[in-house]
Amino acid sequence: MTDTLPPCPECASVYAYEVDALLNCPECGHEWSANEEASPEIRDSVGNVLNDGDTVTVIKDLKVKGSSAVVKVGTKVRGIRLVDGDHDIDCKVPGVGPMGLKSQFVKKVAE
């Protein structure tokens, strides 16, 4: 076998094996397609990996497009949701409402 199989995306086991068009993990039982790409990690301004449900703090005053409102530095946003696109965080900002944020303007809060 010249090329190695990728580790399991669920448990990172290196013992994955091929069955027809699928890869299988003997440790956790996860099945996935060999040509399936892993979603890229979304990181905050200092390099911490963000996950759905995290709490973040805004690190820069952000003008709200189409409004005179401003999201101030230090605003804490709870329960973020990661999405694909230019603005990779959907959230509800206190005092402003639902909006999309770019991960480069937030910092993950240690909980």
Side-chain angles (χ1 to χ4, degrees):
M1 181 180 250
T2 58
D3 53 34
T4 60
L5 297 174
C8 175
E10 292 291 314
C11 69
S13 170
V14 294
Y15 301 112
Y17 62 93
E18 242 177 322
V19 174
D20 296 325
L22 292 177
L23 295 174
N24 294 301
C25 177
E27 293 185 12
C28 71
H30 180 67
E31 294 182 343
W32 70 101
S33 174
N35 56 8
E36 182 179 298
E37 291 185 25
S39 59
E41 291 180 334
I42 297 177
R43 296 182 177 268
D44 67 2
S45 62
V46 295
N48 297 321
V49 176
L50 296 173
N51 298 307
D52 285 343
D54 282 345
T55 300
V56 296
T57 301
V58 178
I59 62 165
K60 175 183 176 183
D61 281 348
L62 302 172
K63 294 179 183 176
V64 178
K65 191 172 186 178
S67 172
S68 62
V70 175
V71 178
K72 296 285 191 179
V73 170
T75 301
K76 191 178 278 189
V77 181
R78 300 178 193 276
I80 65 169
R81 190 173 60 116
L82 303 177
V83 294
D84 291 332
D86 185 31
H87 291 75
D88 41 17
I89 298 173
D90 272 348
C91 60
K92 191 177 282 186
V93 178
V96 178
M99 67 183 303
L101 294 174
K102 292 185 178 184
S103 58
Q104 67 194 38
F105 298 122
V106 299
K107 181 179 170 189
K108 186 173 180 176
V109 175
E111 295 181 55

XYZ file of all heavy atoms in Angstrom:
823
model
N 0.858 -1.175 0.000
C 0.000 0.000 0.000
C 0.902 1.234 0.000
O 1.645 1.465 0.936
C -0.901 -0.034 1.228
C -1.840 1.118 1.318
S -2.843 0.984 2.803
C -4.387 0.626 2.067
N 0.817 2.034 -1.053
C 1.724 3.167 -1.189
C 1.211 4.418 -0.508
O 1.983 5.176 0.045
C 1.982 3.480 -2.674
O 0.742 3.738 -3.309
C 2.705 2.328 -3.352
N -0.093 4.670 -0.577
C -0.607 5.871 0.090
C -1.300 5.482 1.394
O -1.892 4.429 1.524
C -1.551 6.666 -0.814
C -2.679 5.831 -1.391
O -3.152 4.911 -0.706
O -3.082 6.112 -2.506
N -1.207 6.373 2.374
C -1.809 6.087 3.674
C -3.209 6.670 3.739
O -3.509 7.675 3.092
C -0.952 6.678 4.808
O -0.877 8.092 4.612
C 0.442 6.092 4.802
N -4.037 6.048 4.516
C -5.406 6.515 4.683
C -5.440 7.613 5.744
O -4.661 7.584 6.700
C -6.308 5.359 5.095
C -6.437 4.233 4.063
C -7.235 3.085 4.644
C -7.077 4.748 2.799
N -6.346 8.572 5.600
C -6.438 9.647 6.598
C -6.986 9.110 7.921
O -7.700 8.107 7.937
C -7.417 10.637 5.965
C -8.238 9.814 5.039
C -7.316 8.731 4.531
N -6.657 9.773 9.025
C -7.206 9.331 10.309
C -8.706 9.602 10.387
O -9.248 10.412 9.627
C -6.443 10.178 11.331
C -6.000 11.373 10.564
C -5.782 10.922 9.152
N -9.357 8.948 11.309
C -10.796 9.114 11.503
C -11.110 10.557 11.902
O -10.488 11.096 12.824
C -11.273 8.157 12.596
S -13.000 8.371 13.033
N -12.061 11.219 11.245
C -12.407 12.595 11.611
C -13.133 12.703 12.953
O -13.185 13.771 13.547
C -13.309 13.071 10.473
C -13.774 11.849 9.783
C -12.778 10.766 10.064
N -13.671 11.601 13.456
C -14.388 11.620 14.729
C -13.455 11.445 15.920
O -13.490 12.208 16.872
C -15.460 10.522 14.758
C -16.599 10.758 13.796
C -17.463 11.933 14.202
O -17.821 12.047 15.379
O -17.786 12.736 13.312
N -12.613 10.402 15.866
C -11.789 10.075 17.041
C -10.286 10.160 16.767
O -9.483 9.896 17.655
C -12.139 8.694 17.577
S -11.648 7.342 16.475
N -9.885 10.490 15.542
C -8.486 10.641 15.123
C -7.705 9.325 15.155
O -6.481 9.328 15.205
C -7.789 11.706 15.947
N -8.385 8.208 15.113
C -7.723 6.906 15.086
C -6.984 6.736 13.763
O -7.480 7.085 12.696
C -8.759 5.788 15.237
O -8.155 4.540 14.990
N -5.791 6.172 13.822
C -4.995 5.958 12.609
C -5.271 4.586 11.992
O -4.659 4.222 10.996
C -3.482 6.093 12.914
C -3.158 7.509 13.311
C -3.046 5.107 13.970
N -6.186 3.810 12.554
C -6.464 2.463 12.099
C -7.635 2.377 11.122
O -8.313 1.354 11.049
C -6.722 1.545 13.299
C -5.548 1.492 14.234
C -5.634 2.035 15.509
C -4.350 0.931 13.840
C -4.555 2.005 16.369
C -3.255 0.899 14.686
C -3.362 1.438 15.945
O -2.294 1.409 16.781
N -7.866 3.420 10.342
C -8.958 3.422 9.372
C -8.689 2.386 8.280
O -7.532 2.103 7.952
C -9.104 4.799 8.756
N -9.759 1.818 7.747
C -9.625 0.866 6.651
C -10.706 1.124 5.621
O -11.714 1.764 5.894
C -9.673 -0.579 7.160
C -10.962 -0.961 7.842
C -11.997 -1.552 7.130
C -11.141 -0.727 9.199
C -13.180 -1.902 7.753
C -12.322 -1.072 9.835
C -13.331 -1.660 9.102
O -14.501 -1.997 9.727
N -10.460 0.621 4.391
C -11.336 0.873 3.266
C -12.290 -0.292 3.029
O -11.880 -1.447 3.063
C -10.501 1.058 1.995
C -10.642 2.401 1.361
C -9.737 2.556 0.151
O -8.606 2.066 0.169
O -10.213 3.184 -0.798
N -13.569 0.040 2.785
C -14.557 -0.942 2.356
C -15.330 -0.294 1.219
O -16.071 0.670 1.434
C -15.522 -1.345 3.498
C -16.615 -2.252 2.967
C -14.773 -1.987 4.632
N -15.122 -0.797 0.010
C -15.704 -0.218 -1.203
C -15.310 1.257 -1.304
O -14.135 1.573 -1.323
C -17.223 -0.409 -1.238
C -17.610 -1.881 -1.297
O -16.871 -2.663 -1.937
O -18.634 -2.246 -0.692
N -16.278 2.174 -1.330
C -15.982 3.598 -1.486
C -15.905 4.327 -0.149
O -15.669 5.526 -0.105
C -17.040 4.255 -2.360
N -16.106 3.601 0.940
C -16.115 4.248 2.255
C -14.882 3.875 3.069
O -14.291 2.806 2.894
C -17.358 3.821 3.045
C -18.699 4.304 2.533
C -19.812 3.716 3.399
C -18.789 5.808 2.538
N -14.525 4.769 3.973
C -13.498 4.488 4.961
C -14.201 4.213 6.278
O -15.217 4.835 6.593
C -12.546 5.678 5.103
C -11.713 6.003 3.863
C -10.928 7.285 4.082
C -10.776 4.874 3.530
N -13.685 3.288 7.059
C -14.298 2.902 8.329
C -13.289 3.001 9.455
O -12.101 2.756 9.255
C -14.802 1.462 8.252
C -15.925 1.312 7.269
O -16.937 1.955 7.411
N -15.735 0.468 6.266
N -13.776 3.305 10.645
C -12.935 3.350 11.833
C -13.312 2.178 12.737
O -14.462 2.078 13.169
C -13.127 4.667 12.578
S -12.177 4.754 14.108
N -12.359 1.302 13.061
C -12.679 0.166 13.919
C -12.857 0.553 15.390
O -13.458 -0.185 16.154
C -11.470 -0.754 13.748
C -10.355 0.154 13.394
C -10.977 1.266 12.592
N -12.356 1.720 15.773
C -12.434 2.115 17.179
C -13.765 2.757 17.547
O -14.328 2.465 18.590
C -11.269 3.035 17.525
C -9.939 2.300 17.474
C -8.776 3.152 17.916
O -8.987 4.243 18.475
O -7.641 2.701 17.708
N -14.275 3.665 16.683
C -15.538 4.335 17.028
C -16.692 3.955 16.100
O -17.832 4.325 16.345
C -15.356 5.855 17.038
S -15.118 6.597 15.407
N -16.384 3.247 14.994
C -17.429 2.808 14.083
C -17.874 3.848 13.070
O -18.820 3.625 12.327
N -17.193 4.972 13.002
C -17.563 6.049 12.068
C -17.236 5.644 10.631
O -16.208 5.030 10.372
C -16.811 7.330 12.440
C -17.123 8.492 11.551
N -18.359 9.077 11.519
C -16.350 9.169 10.680
C -18.334 10.076 10.650
N -17.134 10.162 10.132
N -18.136 5.971 9.695
C -17.912 5.743 8.268
C -17.922 7.080 7.560
O -18.743 7.945 7.864
C -19.021 4.873 7.678
C -19.053 3.472 8.191
C -20.146 2.658 7.527
O -21.077 3.255 6.922
O -20.084 1.438 7.614
N -17.006 7.269 6.594
C -16.974 8.511 5.842
C -16.426 8.241 4.450
O -15.810 7.220 4.198
C -16.169 9.593 6.559
C -14.680 9.376 6.615
C -13.756 9.969 5.811
C -13.942 8.541 7.500
N -12.496 9.540 6.145
C -12.589 8.661 7.185
C -14.297 7.679 8.538
C -11.582 7.970 7.858
C -13.306 6.992 9.208
C -11.969 7.147 8.875
N -16.679 9.159 3.549
C -16.234 9.046 2.176
C -14.777 9.493 2.083
O -14.376 10.454 2.732
C -17.109 9.911 1.281
O -16.597 9.922 -0.036
N -14.003 8.826 1.253
C -12.581 9.158 1.121
C -12.376 10.524 0.476
O -11.412 11.220 0.778
C -11.871 8.096 0.296
N -13.291 10.950 -0.394
C -13.124 12.242 -1.057
C -13.851 13.363 -0.321
O -13.878 14.486 -0.784
C -13.587 12.171 -2.512
C -15.010 11.703 -2.638
O -15.714 11.559 -1.646
N -15.438 11.448 -3.861
N -14.421 13.071 0.806
C -15.108 14.071 1.623
C -14.065 14.954 2.304
O -13.160 14.471 2.970
C -15.939 13.338 2.682
C -16.754 14.215 3.573
C -17.535 13.357 4.564
O -18.359 12.556 4.113
O -17.282 13.508 5.768
N -14.168 16.251 2.099
C -13.198 17.168 2.697
C -13.656 17.575 4.087
O -14.832 17.811 4.331
C -13.043 18.417 1.830
C -12.362 18.152 0.514
C -12.116 19.430 -0.254
O -12.028 20.498 0.380
O -12.025 19.354 -1.476
N -12.706 17.680 4.976
C -13.011 18.149 6.328
C -13.264 19.659 6.271
O -12.611 20.373 5.521
C -11.855 17.846 7.262
N -14.221 20.122 7.060
C -14.492 21.555 7.070
C -13.325 22.272 7.747
O -12.773 21.796 8.732
C -15.798 21.850 7.803
O -15.716 21.384 9.130
N -12.941 23.433 7.222
C -11.813 24.149 7.801
C -12.161 24.680 9.184
O -13.311 25.025 9.468
C -11.569 25.291 6.816
C -12.877 25.487 6.134
C -13.523 24.130 6.099
N -11.165 24.738 10.040
C -11.378 25.266 11.382
C -11.525 26.781 11.298
O -10.827 27.429 10.536
C -10.189 24.940 12.276
C -10.050 23.480 12.591
C -8.855 23.205 13.486
O -7.892 23.977 13.470
O -8.916 22.208 14.213
N -12.419 27.316 12.091
C -12.577 28.764 12.172
C -11.903 29.209 13.452
O -12.176 28.677 14.522
C -14.065 29.162 12.140
C -14.680 28.734 10.805
C -14.227 30.661 12.369
C -16.146 29.000 10.676
N -10.992 30.164 13.326
C -10.211 30.629 14.470
C -10.491 32.100 14.743
O -10.813 32.859 13.843
C -8.720 30.429 14.207
C -8.356 28.957 14.057
C -6.869 28.768 13.843
N -6.518 27.370 13.773
C -6.143 26.649 14.827
N -6.054 27.209 16.008
N -5.843 25.381 14.685
N -10.343 32.479 16.023
C -10.548 33.877 16.407
C -9.295 34.698 16.106
O -8.357 34.210 15.472
C -10.971 33.990 17.873
C -9.875 33.587 18.849
O -8.759 33.255 18.419
O -10.150 33.627 20.059
N -9.263 35.932 16.567
C -8.168 36.850 16.250
C -6.820 36.425 16.799
O -5.786 36.825 16.279
C -8.508 38.252 16.760
O -8.657 38.216 18.167
N -6.790 35.612 17.850
C -5.526 35.176 18.431
C -5.220 33.711 18.147
O -4.252 33.165 18.669
C -5.466 35.453 19.957
C -5.479 36.933 20.230
C -6.597 34.770 20.675
N -6.041 33.045 17.328
C -5.758 31.684 16.905
C -6.482 30.582 17.642
O -6.241 29.411 17.382
N -7.379 30.902 18.564
C -8.158 29.877 19.260
C -9.222 29.319 18.318
O -9.865 30.061 17.590
C -8.851 30.457 20.493
C -7.865 30.965 21.517
O -6.827 30.369 21.744
N -8.196 32.087 22.132
N -9.416 28.005 18.346
C -10.438 27.368 17.510
C -11.814 27.674 18.094
O -12.043 27.508 19.289
C -10.213 25.845 17.433
C -11.326 25.177 16.638
C -8.873 25.533 16.818
N -12.731 28.142 17.235
C -14.096 28.448 17.657
C -15.020 27.274 17.363
O -14.838 26.570 16.372
C -14.608 29.692 16.932
C -13.877 30.998 17.236
C -14.369 32.108 16.326
C -14.046 31.383 18.680
N -16.016 27.082 18.223
C -17.029 26.035 18.059
C -18.409 26.645 18.254
O -18.548 27.698 18.872
C -16.829 24.922 19.098
C -15.498 24.232 18.948
O -15.167 23.768 17.872
N -14.730 24.188 20.016
N -19.434 25.953 17.735
C -20.809 26.395 17.964
C -21.075 26.473 19.462
O -20.668 25.590 20.212
C -21.807 25.432 17.330
C -21.872 25.573 15.820
O -21.412 26.593 15.287
O -22.404 24.649 15.169
N -21.751 27.536 19.899
C -22.115 27.687 21.302
C -21.084 28.412 22.146
O -21.336 28.673 23.320
N -19.921 28.734 21.586
C -18.892 29.455 22.345
C -19.334 30.873 22.674
O -20.250 31.416 22.061
C -17.580 29.532 21.560
C -16.789 28.249 21.589
O -17.089 27.386 22.429
O -15.858 28.126 20.776
N -18.637 31.461 23.643
C -18.827 32.871 23.987
C -17.596 33.620 23.518
O -16.471 33.184 23.753
C -19.000 33.033 25.504
O -20.152 32.283 25.909
C -19.194 34.491 25.887
N -17.813 34.750 22.838
C -16.705 35.555 22.323
C -16.867 37.010 22.763
O -17.955 37.439 23.136
C -16.609 35.494 20.783
C -16.293 34.086 20.310
C -17.876 35.987 20.117
N -15.762 37.752 22.699
C -15.754 39.171 22.996
C -15.304 39.925 21.752
O -14.343 39.507 21.094
C -14.776 39.475 24.150
O -15.171 38.732 25.285
C -14.778 40.944 24.491
N -15.964 41.025 21.442
C -15.596 41.849 20.295
C -14.338 42.633 20.654
O -14.252 43.221 21.732
C -16.759 42.802 19.921
C -16.380 43.706 18.774
C -18.004 42.000 19.581
N -13.340 42.656 19.748
C -12.057 43.301 20.052
C -11.885 44.655 19.370
O -10.847 45.289 19.508
C -10.871 42.400 19.662
C -10.865 42.134 18.164
C -10.897 41.112 20.461
C -9.561 41.581 17.651
N -12.900 45.119 18.630
C -12.802 46.372 17.889
C -14.208 46.950 17.740
O -15.164 46.194 17.580
C -12.185 46.080 16.517
C -12.111 47.242 15.586
C -11.544 46.810 14.228
C -11.582 47.997 13.291
N -11.128 47.658 11.950
N -14.338 48.267 17.811
C -15.636 48.888 17.539
C -16.063 48.539 16.114
O -15.297 48.728 15.169
C -15.570 50.407 17.680
C -15.604 50.874 19.120
O -15.903 50.062 20.009
O -15.343 52.072 19.358
N -17.271 48.015 15.965
C -17.778 47.615 14.657
C -19.027 48.402 14.317
O -20.001 48.387 15.073
C -18.107 46.116 14.658
C -16.962 45.162 14.992
C -17.492 43.740 15.143
C -15.898 45.226 13.928
N -18.997 49.093 13.191
C -20.175 49.823 12.725
C -21.159 48.822 12.140
O -20.780 47.893 11.439
C -19.792 50.833 11.655
C -18.908 51.945 12.158
C -18.561 52.895 11.040
C -17.605 53.960 11.545
N -17.167 54.848 10.474
N -22.441 49.015 12.438
C -23.490 48.146 11.907
C -23.938 48.735 10.583
O -24.405 49.879 10.531
C -24.672 48.018 12.887
C -25.763 47.148 12.294
C -24.201 47.473 14.220
N -23.778 47.977 9.510
C -24.100 48.449 8.172
C -25.576 48.807 8.060
O -26.440 48.057 8.494
C -23.745 47.360 7.158
C -23.774 47.822 5.725
C -23.229 46.738 4.822
C -23.126 47.248 3.402
N -22.552 46.244 2.523
N -25.869 49.984 7.514
C -27.237 50.425 7.330
C -27.864 51.007 8.578
O -29.072 51.204 8.644
N -27.062 51.290 9.579
C -27.563 51.812 10.842
C -26.509 52.716 11.458
O -25.352 52.701 11.072
C -27.859 50.639 11.786
O -28.174 51.106 13.066
N -26.934 53.506 12.437
C -25.965 54.348 13.138
C -25.443 53.647 14.392
O -24.635 54.206 15.123
C -26.612 55.678 13.519
O -27.696 55.453 14.394
N -25.883 52.411 14.626
C -25.471 51.662 15.806
C -24.022 51.186 15.680
O -23.500 51.013 14.578
C -26.385 50.455 16.010
N -23.385 50.987 16.826
C -22.006 50.496 16.879
C -21.930 49.386 17.919
O -22.472 49.511 19.011
C -21.035 51.637 17.253
C -19.622 51.102 17.427
C -21.067 52.755 16.220
N -21.246 48.306 17.570
C -20.963 47.244 18.531
C -19.633 47.622 19.173
O -18.603 47.684 18.514
C -20.862 45.863 17.847
C -20.532 44.794 18.865
C -22.156 45.539 17.114
N -19.665 47.910 20.469
C -18.491 48.424 21.179
C -17.478 47.324 21.521
O -17.831 46.160 21.657
C -18.916 49.105 22.488
C -19.772 50.339 22.295
C -18.903 51.455 21.831
C -19.655 52.770 21.885
N -18.833 53.860 21.468
N -16.225 47.745 21.692
C -15.163 46.848 22.150
C -15.575 46.256 23.494
O -16.104 46.944 24.349
C -13.841 47.625 22.326
C -12.799 46.773 23.018
C -13.321 48.110 21.005
N -15.331 44.960 23.667
C -15.635 44.309 24.932
C -17.030 43.737 25.029
O -17.363 43.106 26.029
N -17.852 43.929 24.003
C -19.195 43.363 24.018
C -19.083 41.841 24.011
O -18.406 41.262 23.165
C -20.013 43.829 22.798
O -20.092 45.251 22.810
C -21.417 43.240 22.818
N -19.740 41.194 24.964
C -19.693 39.736 25.079
C -20.883 39.149 24.330
O -22.021 39.541 24.555
C -19.738 39.327 26.546
C -19.420 37.865 26.779
C -19.427 37.517 28.242
C -18.108 37.909 28.860
N -17.964 37.393 30.239
N -20.590 38.227 23.426
C -21.618 37.573 22.617
C -21.630 36.097 22.974
O -20.630 35.417 22.857
C -21.333 37.760 21.110
C -22.411 37.095 20.280
C -21.212 39.236 20.761
N -22.782 35.615 23.428
C -22.914 34.219 23.874
C -23.611 33.371 22.809
O -24.440 33.854 22.065
C -23.732 34.156 25.156
C -23.115 34.920 26.291
C -24.019 34.861 27.520
N -23.617 35.822 28.526
C -22.674 35.612 29.425
N -22.027 34.473 29.430
N -22.364 36.537 30.300
N -23.284 32.096 22.783
C -23.987 31.138 21.924
C -23.834 31.399 20.445
O -24.829 31.426 19.727
N -22.594 31.549 19.956
C -22.392 31.801 18.536
C -22.688 30.556 17.717
O -22.695 29.445 18.235
C -20.953 32.285 18.244
C -19.929 31.194 18.565
C -20.660 33.568 18.979
C -18.524 31.497 18.071
N -22.935 30.768 16.422
C -23.154 29.663 15.485
C -22.237 29.887 14.298
O -22.236 30.962 13.704
C -24.604 29.643 15.040
C -24.978 28.410 14.257
C -26.460 28.383 14.008
N -26.837 29.556 13.244
C -27.340 29.529 12.016
N -27.550 28.383 11.421
N -27.649 30.636 11.386
N -21.430 28.904 13.945
C -20.488 29.021 12.839
C -21.180 28.676 11.527
O -21.925 27.706 11.442
C -19.293 28.096 13.066
C -18.532 28.332 14.367
C -17.422 27.317 14.515
C -17.982 29.736 14.435
N -20.926 29.504 10.500
C -21.533 29.319 9.187
C -20.464 29.524 8.118
O -19.396 30.064 8.385
C -22.698 30.311 8.956
C -23.847 30.037 9.902
C -22.249 31.748 9.091
N -20.764 29.089 6.899
C -19.868 29.322 5.775
C -20.126 30.715 5.219
O -21.230 31.239 5.311
C -20.107 28.292 4.675
C -19.671 26.901 5.087
O -18.756 26.804 5.926
O -20.243 25.932 4.572
N -19.102 31.315 4.634
C -19.263 32.610 4.000
C -18.272 33.623 4.516
O -17.366 33.314 5.305
N -18.445 34.862 4.068
C -17.545 35.948 4.440
C -17.625 36.240 5.940
O -16.616 36.341 6.619
C -17.902 37.194 3.629
C -16.943 38.336 3.863
O -15.757 38.049 4.134
O -17.366 39.490 3.776
N -18.837 36.387 6.449
C -19.056 36.559 7.886
C -19.328 35.168 8.437
O -20.390 34.606 8.208
C -20.241 37.492 8.142
C -19.968 38.903 7.746
N -19.946 39.315 6.436
C -19.667 39.993 8.483
C -19.660 40.611 6.392
N -19.481 41.048 7.618
N -18.346 34.598 9.147
C -18.433 33.190 9.518
C -19.056 32.914 10.877
O -19.076 31.787 11.325
C -17.076 32.508 9.400
C -15.926 33.348 9.894
O -16.159 34.315 10.623
O -14.785 33.034 9.540
N -19.608 33.945 11.535
C -20.287 33.763 12.822
C -21.666 34.399 12.752
O -21.789 35.576 12.416
C -19.487 34.413 13.973
C -18.115 33.766 14.104
C -20.253 34.329 15.279
C -17.208 34.465 15.097
N -22.700 33.621 13.055
C -24.053 34.163 13.227
C -24.300 34.229 14.722
O -23.994 33.287 15.454
C -25.107 33.263 12.587
C -25.347 33.577 11.128
O -24.868 34.633 10.665
O -26.009 32.776 10.457
N -24.844 35.353 15.181
C -25.057 35.508 16.613
C -26.105 36.583 16.873
O -26.563 37.259 15.968
C -23.747 35.887 17.303
S -23.051 37.426 16.687
N -26.463 36.717 18.139
C -27.372 37.763 18.574
C -26.570 38.667 19.509
O -26.195 38.262 20.611
C -28.574 37.176 19.289
C -29.685 38.188 19.528
C -30.884 37.547 20.175
C -31.681 36.797 19.131
N -32.941 36.279 19.669
N -26.268 39.885 19.053
C -25.461 40.828 19.824
C -26.381 41.603 20.767
O -27.379 42.178 20.322
C -24.705 41.797 18.890
C -23.911 42.803 19.693
C -23.804 41.036 17.942
N -26.063 41.614 22.066
C -26.895 42.351 23.025
C -26.998 43.833 22.652
O -26.000 44.484 22.375
C -26.157 42.187 24.355
C -25.236 41.033 24.164
C -24.924 40.964 22.710
N -28.217 44.350 22.604
C -28.444 45.756 22.291
C -28.513 46.061 20.813
O -28.874 47.158 20.418
N -28.150 45.096 19.959
C -28.166 45.315 18.508
C -29.113 44.335 17.828
O -29.892 44.718 16.976
C -26.743 45.193 17.908
C -26.775 45.360 16.408
C -25.808 46.203 18.536
N -29.038 43.054 18.203
C -29.887 42.035 17.609
C -29.092 41.045 16.788
O -27.866 40.998 16.873
N -29.772 40.249 15.960
C -29.079 39.232 15.166
C -28.189 39.853 14.106
O -28.571 40.819 13.451
C -30.206 38.437 14.517
C -31.469 39.106 14.855
C -31.200 40.225 15.782
N -26.983 39.316 13.963
C -26.074 39.798 12.929
C -24.969 38.786 12.667
O -24.803 37.827 13.410
C -25.483 41.157 13.304
C -24.551 41.166 14.483
S -23.944 42.813 14.934
C -23.178 43.376 13.467
N -24.221 39.023 11.603
C -23.075 38.190 11.254
C -21.795 38.923 11.612
O -21.685 40.122 11.414
N -20.835 38.184 12.157
C -19.537 38.758 12.512
C -18.432 37.997 11.806
O -18.580 36.827 11.475
C -19.290 38.649 14.025
C -20.186 39.436 14.958
C -19.871 39.065 16.403
C -20.011 40.916 14.746
N -17.300 38.669 11.601
C -16.111 38.003 11.085
C -15.287 37.548 12.273
O -15.134 38.275 13.257
C -15.299 38.957 10.213
C -15.994 39.321 8.923
C -15.099 40.153 8.048
C -15.787 40.460 6.731
N -14.909 41.198 5.819
N -14.735 36.351 12.165
C -13.979 35.790 13.280
C -12.713 36.576 13.599
O -12.205 36.504 14.707
C -13.625 34.333 12.996
O -12.871 34.231 11.806
N -12.215 37.370 12.667
C -11.002 38.141 12.913
C -11.233 39.295 13.884
O -10.270 39.885 14.375
C -10.431 38.669 11.603
C -11.316 39.715 10.934
C -10.918 39.989 9.505
O -10.539 39.070 8.788
N -10.997 41.232 9.099
N -12.485 39.613 14.204
C -12.794 40.721 15.108
C -13.303 40.259 16.471
O -13.862 41.056 17.221
C -13.822 41.665 14.474
C -13.323 42.302 13.216
C -14.002 42.148 12.023
C -12.169 43.058 13.205
C -13.552 42.723 10.855
C -11.698 43.630 12.036
C -12.389 43.461 10.857
N -13.146 38.967 16.773
C -13.585 38.455 18.066
C -12.482 37.654 18.736
O -11.545 37.206 18.084
C -14.850 37.571 17.932
C -16.021 38.347 17.375
C -14.574 36.331 17.118
N -12.616 37.494 20.049
C -11.684 36.694 20.833
C -12.508 35.767 21.709
O -13.458 36.196 22.366
C -10.823 37.612 21.691
C -9.809 36.890 22.538
C -8.980 37.887 23.324
C -8.134 37.187 24.363
N -7.491 38.127 25.252
N -12.136 34.491 21.721
C -12.860 33.496 22.508
C -12.667 33.764 23.991
O -11.582 34.076 24.448
C -12.343 32.100 22.162
C -13.105 30.970 22.797
C -12.617 29.647 22.265
C -13.364 28.489 22.870
N -12.952 27.227 22.287
N -13.759 33.632 24.762
C -13.731 33.829 26.199
C -13.582 32.466 26.855
O -14.331 31.534 26.552
C -15.041 34.504 26.685
C -15.063 34.593 28.184
C -15.184 35.879 26.057
N -12.619 32.350 27.761
C -12.438 31.102 28.510
C -13.586 30.966 29.494
O -13.887 31.887 30.242
C -11.103 31.110 29.246
N -14.230 29.805 29.473
C -15.405 29.626 30.319
C -15.102 28.760 31.502
O -14.341 27.926 31.580
C -16.542 29.033 29.513
C -16.979 30.007 28.432
C -18.119 29.475 27.610
O -19.138 29.117 28.215
O -17.985 29.402 26.396
